[in-house]
């Protein structure tokens, strides 16, 4: 293979090479590869043949060895029995007696030694006191160590507690005598003297006290830097000298701490037998000795900045991650320096076991409260001697778990800032303002993608989707409320003035035309906002796919790939509530969807997936809010279009012809001077004729705006339009992510759009919705407002409704309620009373008509 590599390197050399030379080299390489394959195959076949021949022989050899071992066992048993039979009984008794005497001798010697140890306790206090007076601390420690080993002699005796108390008192005296000198040697960084004192403390099982002295003395400078800091965004209340923000101070504090840790990396190995664990404990002691504590200052920081606290927390976390990375390099250098003396790279494990054993011995004597590392609950961070990770990143974990709330508050603040910049502007500019604000909102949302990765390393993806969905919904709901408010407060003009000669007969005022253009432009802006929302959702989905790939790689190779910037932070996040089933379901879903689209063949010319379906939307509430806003714009636009017709109908219920006297079916008495005239059906009233003319003029209005894409947007939200009916031809704004056939991490993402709808389809859908809206207004609001109907009035109303029914059918509108009104109005009084009498369940409409026509049941 080395030869192949060399040949490949030559082939890839920048020097120009003729095609014939390349062909010869490739042919040579292929021949060499074929020969190597044949040799490997021959060798493999030979090995398989040898194994096949040897396996049956191996079974035979094992069986032979078993038989031989059983034969040897039987022979040994026979020899043993013969040897027992050859020895007389008297000899056996003598040997047993000698064995018993030897046991007594050994026990008596052990008892003598124990009594000697116990006898030394009578002079222990005097000896140790005199040694302390002579400053012979090492000898005093050795004497106490010897005495401690004999404590087992007095266990379960009345003297045990007295001697144990004496031992602790003497150890305390030795510690008190050494404390001043120990602190002085630590401050002067006298390594040899500190190592000697550590040996003394080890003899009296007080290593932990020595470490406490050492850590307290060495960390003093950085702890004082933290405790004395005056920060305007953490102090409560801020002092007059508070001028530095917490994030700037934190970087300065970490720099000072790192400088101290680098110094200790040199000193600690010269003093302690377990430098890795000792340095880790030293870093932890720094972090646990801070006042106010790290969590308290983070809480004060969050309270001070309120809704905008997240960026400051991210800055603090980034500084902490950089500090952790620098500390990891310190440990790498320390391990590298220790590797020659500790074979196999077991620098962490050996000191950990020895330290746990020494702490166990110390706990069995002193009664002092403490945590035994060997008996503590197993945690990955502690077992590796890296508990400083937990002290460093645990304060952030509470805020990381509450990421969704922090992100929502920040986005709400950004939304308020965006909306507060809007001043009172003319209606003509509102649609443009909506597009601009949508761009601002999208830009703010894109910033949240980076924040999620920086603060939670992808674990907050579920909260990110929820926060963004609510963010877009809140933004669009504000505009929806404004449109609805203006629609409810709008009033029709009493004086009609057309602004266009083409529509001079449609009774629209200049204000109506202004409202019409505003609603149309807002609907167009709604379409633009929806497209921008889909484009952002593609970016969001791409970010989630990258997070899912990163998680999968980290799970597959945890030793070389980490989700967070450090191993300890990754483990903390993995054990947090952020690592939920919802998170993995979300990441699995988006990654599976991306992989399915990666493997889906693309149409060569249209770039349309052949079999892949649309992705499940991520911003569900945002999409619904856009459609709700579109519906509000459509309702406002319909209100403007139908305003002249509704104006005509406003006085329809109070017309005097509803109570006109007479009977339309009564026979007329002829006189000699009367001319006999044929009977004609009633003509529709002037109001209905004007309404019918307005309905017939609506198609002409849509012909002018047929090419406007705004009318084709969100047809399924038009009033009185069944969404299933328009599902087959409404314009699908799809957010499908199409991946080009390359690696997933370099996929090309795009938003696909269907071809625009036919203008005739759009016009017919709008005309159907307008017709239903007007007829609903007529049957629900106008007709029930008629006080009463005479037979002549009922006949006139039936004629009007029949005429109106024929008109709306011309624009493809079917309204059963109108036909029902017409049917009931066409009945004479006798037929109506008969139907009322025979009806088992009188519905609302029949009861209403009976009241109007004074039918009695």
């Amino acid at each position: 293979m080395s030869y192949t590599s060399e040949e490949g390197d030559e082939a890839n050399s920048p020097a120009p090479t003729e095609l014939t030379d390349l062909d010869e080299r490739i042919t040579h390489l292929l021949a060499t590869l074929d020969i190597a394959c044949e040799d490997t195959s021959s060798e493999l076949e030979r090995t398989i043949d040898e194994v096949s021949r040897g396996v049956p022989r191996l079974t035979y050899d094992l069986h032979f060895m078993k038989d031989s071992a059983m034969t040897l066992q039987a022979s040994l048993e026979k020899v043993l029995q013969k040897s027992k039979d050859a020895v007389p009984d008297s000899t056996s008794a003598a040997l047993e007696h000698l064995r018993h005497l030897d046991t007594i001798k050994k026990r008596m010697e052990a008892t003598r030694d124990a009594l000697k140890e116990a006898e030394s306790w009578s002079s222990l206090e005097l000896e140790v006191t005199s040694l302390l007076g002579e400053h012979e601390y090492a000898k005093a420690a050795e004497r106490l160590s010897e005495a401690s080993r004999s404590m087992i002699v007095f266990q379960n005796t009345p003297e045990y507690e007295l001697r144990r108390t004496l031992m602790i008192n003497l150890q305390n005296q030795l510690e008190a005598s050494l404390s001043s000198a120990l602190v002085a040697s630590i401050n002067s960084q006298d390594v040899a003297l500190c190592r000697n004192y550590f040996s003394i403390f080890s003899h009296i099982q007080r290593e932990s006290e020595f470490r406490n002295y050492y850590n307290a003395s060495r960390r003093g400078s950085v702890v004082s830097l933290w405790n004395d800091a005056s920060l305007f965004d953490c102090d409560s209340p801020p002092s007059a000298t508070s001028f530095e923000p917490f994030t700037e101070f934190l970087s300065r504090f970490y720099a000072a701490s790192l400088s101290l840790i680098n110094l200790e990396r040199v000193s600690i190995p010269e003093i302690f037998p377990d430098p890795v664990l000792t340095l880790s404990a030293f870093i932890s002691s720094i972090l646990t000795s801070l006042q106010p504590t790290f969590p308290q200052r983070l809480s004060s920081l969050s309270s001070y900045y309120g809704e905008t606290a997240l960026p400051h927390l991210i800055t603090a976390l980034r500084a902490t991650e950089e500090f952790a990375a620098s500390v990891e390099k310190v440990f790498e250098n320390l391990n590298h320096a220790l590797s020659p003396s500790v074979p196999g790279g077991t620098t962490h494990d050996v000191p950990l076991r020895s330290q746990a054993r020494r702490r166990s011995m110390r706990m069995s004597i002193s009664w002092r409260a403490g945590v035994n590392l060997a008996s503590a609950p197993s945690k990955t961070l502690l077992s590796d001697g890296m508990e400083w990770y937990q002290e460093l990143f645990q304060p952030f974990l509470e805020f990381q778990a509450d990421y969704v709330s922090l992100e929502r508050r920040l986005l709400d603040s950004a939304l308020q800032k965006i909306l507060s910049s809007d001043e009172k502007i003319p209606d003509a500019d509102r649609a443009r303002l909506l597009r601009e604000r949508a761009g601002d909102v999208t830009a703010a949302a894109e910033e949240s993608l980076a924040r999620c990765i920086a603060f939670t390393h992808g674990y907050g993806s579920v909260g990110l989707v929820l926060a963004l969905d609510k963010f877009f919904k809140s933004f669009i709901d504000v505009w929806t409320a404004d449109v609805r408010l203006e629609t409810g407060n709008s009033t029709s003009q009493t004086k009609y003035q057309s602004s266009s000669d083409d529509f001079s007969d449609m009774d629209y005022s200049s204000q109506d035309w202004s409202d019409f253009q505003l609603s149309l432009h807002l609907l167009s802006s709604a379409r633009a906002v929806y497209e921008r929302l889909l484009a952002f959702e593609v970016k969001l989905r791409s970010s989630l796919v990258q997070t899912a790939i990163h998680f999968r790689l980290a799970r597959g190779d945890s030793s070389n790939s980490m989700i967070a910037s450090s191993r300890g932070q990754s483990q903390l996040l993995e054990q947090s509530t952020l690592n939920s089933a919802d998170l993995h379901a979300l990441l699995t879903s988006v990654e599976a969807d991306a992989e399915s689209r990666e493997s889906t063949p693309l149409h060569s010319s249209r770039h349309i997936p052949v079999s892949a379906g649309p992705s499940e939307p991520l911003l569900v509430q945002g999409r619904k809010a856009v459609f709700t806003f579109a519906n509000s714009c459509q309702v406002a636009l319909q209100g403007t279009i139908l305003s002249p017709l509704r104006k005509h109908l406003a006085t329809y219920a109070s017309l005097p012809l509803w109570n006109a006297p007479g009977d339309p079916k009564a026979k007329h008495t002829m006189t000699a001077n009367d001319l006999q005239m044929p009977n004609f059906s009633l003509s529709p009233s002037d109001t209905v004729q004007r309404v019918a003319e307005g309905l017939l003029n609506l198609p002409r209005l849509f012909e002018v705006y047929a090419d406007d894409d705004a009318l084709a947007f969100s047809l399924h939200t038009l009033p009185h339009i069944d969404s299933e009916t328009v599902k087959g031809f409404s314009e699908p704004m799809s957010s499908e992510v199409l991946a080009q056939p390359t690696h997933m991490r370099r996929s090309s993402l795009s938003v696909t759009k269907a071809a625009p709808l036919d203008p005739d389809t759009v016009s017919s859908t709008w005309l159907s919705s307008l017709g239903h809206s007007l007829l609903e207004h007529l049957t629900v609001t106008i007709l029930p407002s008629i006080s009463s109907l005479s037979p002549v009035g009922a006949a006139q109303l039936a004629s009007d409704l029949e005429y109106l029914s024929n008109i709306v059918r011309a624009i493809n509108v079917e309204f059963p309620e109108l036909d029902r009104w017409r049917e009931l109005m066409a009945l004479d009084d006798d037929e109506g009373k008969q139907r009322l009498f025979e009806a088992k369940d009188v519905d609302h409409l029949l009861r209403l008509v009976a009241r109007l026509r004074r039918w009695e049941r």
Side-chain angles (χ1 to χ4, degrees):
M1 293 304 294
S2 61
Y3 174 75
T4 305
S5 177
E6 292 173 2
E7 292 292 335
D9 293 339
E10 293 177 4
N12 294 328
S13 62
T17 306
E18 296 296 336
L19 294 178
T20 55
D21 295 339
L22 290 176
D23 184 62
E24 291 176 0
R25 293 187 182 185
I26 291 174
T27 304
H28 176 66
L29 290 175
L30 291 176
T32 304
L33 181 60
D34 291 338
I35 294 172
C37 290
E38 291 177 1
D39 293 342
T40 304
S41 178
S42 318
E43 187 69 21
L44 183 60
E45 289 179 358
R46 187 181 61 79
T47 304
I48 293 174
D49 187 46
E50 291 178 356
V51 172
S52 300
R53 289 196 303 269
V55 168
R57 179 66 182 176
L58 180 62
T59 305
Y60 171 77
D61 291 343
L62 291 175
H63 184 68
F64 180 77
M65 291 175 61
K66 178 182 177 182
D67 293 342
S68 300
M70 294 179 65
T71 303
L72 179 61
Q73 182 182 8
S75 299
L76 290 176
E77 289 178 354
K78 290 179 181 180
V79 171
L80 181 61
Q81 187 62 36
K82 288 181 180 180
S83 63
K84 289 182 179 180
D85 295 341
V87 179
D89 294 339
S90 58
T91 303
S92 300
L95 292 174
E96 184 66 26
H97 184 63
L98 289 174
R99 187 181 301 107
H100 179 67
L101 291 177
D102 182 67
T103 302
I104 293 175
K105 175 178 175 295
K106 291 179 179 179
R107 292 178 178 176
M108 291 182 67
E109 289 176 349
T111 302
R112 182 194 60 190
D113 294 339
L115 290 175
K116 286 182 178 180
E117 289 288 341
E119 184 180 3
S120 66
W121 276 84
S122 59
S123 60
L124 175 64
E125 184 175 5
L126 180 61
E127 292 179 14
V128 172
T129 304
S130 61
L131 290 173
L132 292 178
E134 298 171 0
H135 301 289
E136 297 288 344
Y137 302 121
K139 293 182 179 179
E142 292 177 0
R143 183 69 181 89
L144 289 175
S145 178
E146 294 174 358
S148 65
R149 290 195 293 270
S150 64
M151 283 287 296
I152 190 66
V153 177
F154 303 99
Q155 196 167 7
N156 300 324
T157 64
E159 298 181 0
Y160 178 77
E161 290 299 330
L162 295 176
R163 298 184 184 277
R164 182 176 182 279
T165 303
L166 175 62
M167 174 64 69
I168 294 176
N169 290 335
L170 293 176
Q171 289 176 343
N172 290 339
Q173 291 180 24
L174 176 58
E175 180 180 341
S177 301
L178 282 175
S179 59
S180 300
L182 174 60
V183 172
S185 64
I186 293 174
N187 292 331
S188 62
Q189 299 185 20
D190 190 338
V191 175
L193 193 57
C194 288
R195 182 169 57 248
N196 182 34
Y197 287 152
F198 178 78
S199 176
I200 293 174
F201 273 75
S202 298
H203 277 93
I204 61 175
Q205 294 83 40
R206 295 204 173 183
E207 287 184 24
S208 59
E209 280 74 5
F210 180 87
R211 296 174 188 272
N212 291 337
Y213 279 114
Y214 186 87
N215 293 339
S217 299
R218 296 299 297 152
R219 72 185 178 223
S221 59
V222 293
V223 171
S224 298
L225 176 64
W226 175 281
N227 296 346
D228 299 339
S230 182
L231 310 174
F232 72 84
D233 51 1
C234 289
D235 295 342
S236 181
S239 62
T241 59
S242 299
F243 61 91
E244 187 177 17
F246 173 73
T247 52
E248 293 183 5
F249 164 75
L250 187 63
S251 299
R252 187 160 58 88
F253 170 76
Y254 281 149
S257 300
L258 185 61
S259 177
L260 178 61
I261 293 170
N262 278 308
L263 292 176
E264 294 304 312
R265 178 179 65 84
V266 179
S267 302
I268 285 179
E270 301 295 330
I271 301 174
F272 299 93
D274 49 356
V276 173
L277 293 179
T278 302
L279 184 59
S280 174
F282 175 70
I283 299 173
S284 298
S285 70
I286 293 177
L287 299 174
T288 56
S289 302
L290 303 178
Q291 288 297 331
T293 63
F294 204 158
Q296 288 174 346
R297 281 206 160 150
L298 286 181
S299 298
S300 300
L301 181 73
S302 177
S303 301
Y304 179 83
Y305 288 104
E307 296 177 346
T308 60
L310 182 56
H312 300 278
L313 292 173
I314 292 175
T315 303
L317 178 61
R318 187 177 293 113
T320 303
E321 290 174 344
E322 293 174 356
F323 172 72
S326 300
V327 172
E328 286 180 343
K329 292 181 180 179
V330 172
F331 276 101
E332 290 177 3
N333 295 333
L334 179 59
N335 285 325
H336 180 71
L338 296 175
S339 57
S341 61
V342 183
T346 57
T347 308
H348 288 226
D349 299 334
V350 174
L352 179 63
R353 290 192 292 269
S354 62
Q355 184 182 12
R357 182 168 58 253
R358 286 192 294 270
R359 287 185 180 181
S360 298
M361 295 171 61
R362 170 72 180 90
M363 289 293 292
S364 65
I365 295 176
S366 68
W367 277 3
R368 293 201 177 194
V371 178
N372 188 352
L373 190 60
S375 62
S378 60
K379 291 185 180 179
T380 306
L381 295 177
L382 295 180
S383 64
D384 289 339
M386 295 296 165
E387 63 272 13
W388 61 272
Y389 275 122
Q390 187 164 357
E391 299 295 342
L392 193 61
F393 290 107
Q394 186 71 36
F396 291 96
L397 196 59
E398 177 183 355
F399 297 97
Q400 290 171 322
D402 196 33
Y403 165 73
V404 59
S405 176
L406 293 171
E407 188 65 60
R408 280 182 177 178
R409 293 167 59 192
L410 181 60
L411 290 175
D412 289 343
S413 175
L415 180 60
Q416 292 298 326
K417 184 177 180 180
I418 292 173
L419 296 178
S420 62
S421 62
D422 297 340
E423 299 178 355
K424 188 65 177 177
I425 60 172
D427 289 343
D429 296 333
R430 291 182 59 199
R432 175 187 56 80
L433 180 65
L434 175 57
R435 294 171 184 262
E436 294 177 355
R437 292 297 171 260
D440 297 337
V441 167
T442 305
E446 289 176 353
E447 295 175 358
S448 65
L449 302 181
R451 286 196 297 267
C452 178
I453 299 299
F455 195 59
T456 68
H457 297 280
Y459 279 100
S461 297
V462 175
L464 172 66
V465 173
L466 294 176
L468 289 174
D469 203 9
K470 181 179 180 296
F471 177 56
F472 281 105
K473 180 180 182 299
S474 300
F475 166 68
I476 299 168
D477 284 348
V478 172
W479 285 85
T480 303
D482 291 342
V483 172
R484 289 178 175 176
L485 180 62
E486 293 185 2
T487 303
N489 294 337
S490 62
T491 57
S492 300
Q493 301 293 325
T494 57
K495 182 179 180 180
Y496 296 100
Q497 297 176 355
S498 176
S499 61
S500 174
D501 295 338
D502 295 336
F503 304 106
S504 58
D505 55 342
M506 297 186 68
D507 296 335
Y508 287 119
S509 67
S510 58
Q511 182 63 38
D512 289 335
W513 286 112
S514 176
D515 294 342
F516 179 86
Q517 294 294 334
L518 174 61
S519 299
L520 191 63
H521 291 161
L522 286 176
L523 191 57
S524 178
S525 296
R527 180 192 183 94
V529 170
Y530 189 62
E531 292 176 352
R532 190 181 290 272
L533 178 65
L534 294 184
F536 173 77
E537 190 168 324
V538 171
K539 296 182 181 179
L540 174 60
R541 188 177 296 275
S542 175
S543 176
L544 294 177
V545 169
Q546 297 300 322
T547 300
I549 295 173
H550 186 51
F551 272 56
R552 176 166 51 80
L553 294 177
R555 289 194 300 267
D557 188 8
S558 58
S559 59
N560 297 323
S561 180
M562 296 179 297
I563 295 177
S565 59
S566 61
R567 178 162 54 102
Q569 187 184 12
S570 297
Q571 292 173 350
L572 282 174
L573 288 172
E574 184 179 355
Q575 298 166 6
S576 69
T577 56
L578 289 173
N579 190 18
S580 62
D582 293 338
L583 172 66
H584 289 277
L586 173 64
L587 298 182
T588 302
S589 174
V590 296
E591 186 176 16
D593 181 73
E595 290 177 351
S596 65
R597 298 188 180 282
E598 173 111 3
S599 60
T600 301
L602 299 180
H603 193 280
S604 59
S605 61
R606 298 184 182 179
H607 300 284
I608 299 176
V610 176
S611 60
S615 306
E616 287 295 328
L618 296 175
L619 306 177
V620 179
Q621 297 300 323
R623 293 192 182 195
K624 289 182 178 178
V626 174
F627 290 136
T628 302
F629 175 71
N631 173 258
S632 300
C633 295
Q634 290 166 344
V635 171
L637 185 57
Q638 286 194 356
T640 303
I641 295 174
L642 298 177
S643 60
L645 307 184
R646 290 181 176 177
K647 179 63 178 180
H648 294 320
L649 293 175
T651 59
Y652 187 65
S654 59
L655 293 177
L657 57 85
W658 306 135
N659 295 314
D663 186 355
K665 295 186 178 182
K667 293 184 179 180
H668 182 65
T669 302
M670 300 294 296
T671 64
N673 296 325
D674 291 338
L675 294 175
Q676 186 173 358
M677 299 292 294
N679 292 328
F680 296 96
S681 59
L682 295 175
S683 300
S685 62
D686 294 339
T687 300
V688 171
Q689 288 183 5
R690 287 195 296 269
V691 171
E693 291 174 359
L695 287 173
L696 294 176
N697 284 329
L698 290 180
R700 187 157 54 92
L701 176 65
F702 281 95
E703 289 177 359
V704 177
Y705 295 95
D707 296 332
D708 198 324
D709 293 339
L711 295 176
F713 175 65
S714 187
L715 289 180
H716 65 281
T717 59
L718 279 171
H720 310 291
I721 296 297
D722 185 9
S723 59
E724 295 297 327
T725 303
V726 299
K727 190 175 183 180
F729 59 85
S730 62
E731 185 174 5
M733 301 296 297
S734 174
S735 63
E736 299 175 0
V737 179
L738 302 182
Q740 303 296 332
T742 58
H743 194 278
M744 185 183 303
R745 286 174 293 181
R746 298 183 180 179
S747 298
S748 175
L749 304 179
S750 61
V751 180
T752 61
K753 301 179 184 179
L757 293 176
D758 181 19
D760 293 338
T761 302
V762 177
S763 299
S764 62
T765 306
W766 269 89
L767 289 174
S768 176
S769 176
L770 288 168
H772 281 82
S773 298
L774 181 64
L775 295 180
E776 182 186 48
H777 175 69
L778 174 65
T779 56
V780 174
T781 305
I782 302 301
L783 296 182
S785 301
I786 299 175
S787 59
S788 61
L789 288 169
S790 65
V792 175
Q796 180 62 53
L797 183 56
S799 177
D800 287 353
L801 297 182
E802 182 176 5
Y803 178 72
L804 191 58
S805 178
N806 294 330
I807 293 299
V808 296
R809 284 193 180 93
I811 57 175
N812 297 323
V813 174
E814 296 287 341
F815 201 76
E817 192 75 5
L818 180 66
D819 296 335
R820 185 92 191 283
W821 272 92
R822 179 182 56 79
E823 178 188 357
L824 293 176
M825 290 301 160
L827 297 176
D828 58 23
D829 290 343
D830 294 336
E831 292 174 342
K833 292 177 181 179
Q834 181 67 22
R835 177 176 293 190
L836 183 65
F837 178 77
E838 294 176 353
K840 295 181 179 179
D841 295 326
V842 180
D843 60 8
H844 171 71
L845 182 56
L846 182 57
R847 184 180 297 107
L848 178 60
V849 172
R851 179 183 62 81
L852 295 177
R853 302 189 61 178
R854 298 183 180 88
W855 296 338
E856 296 181 0
R857 186 173 179 179

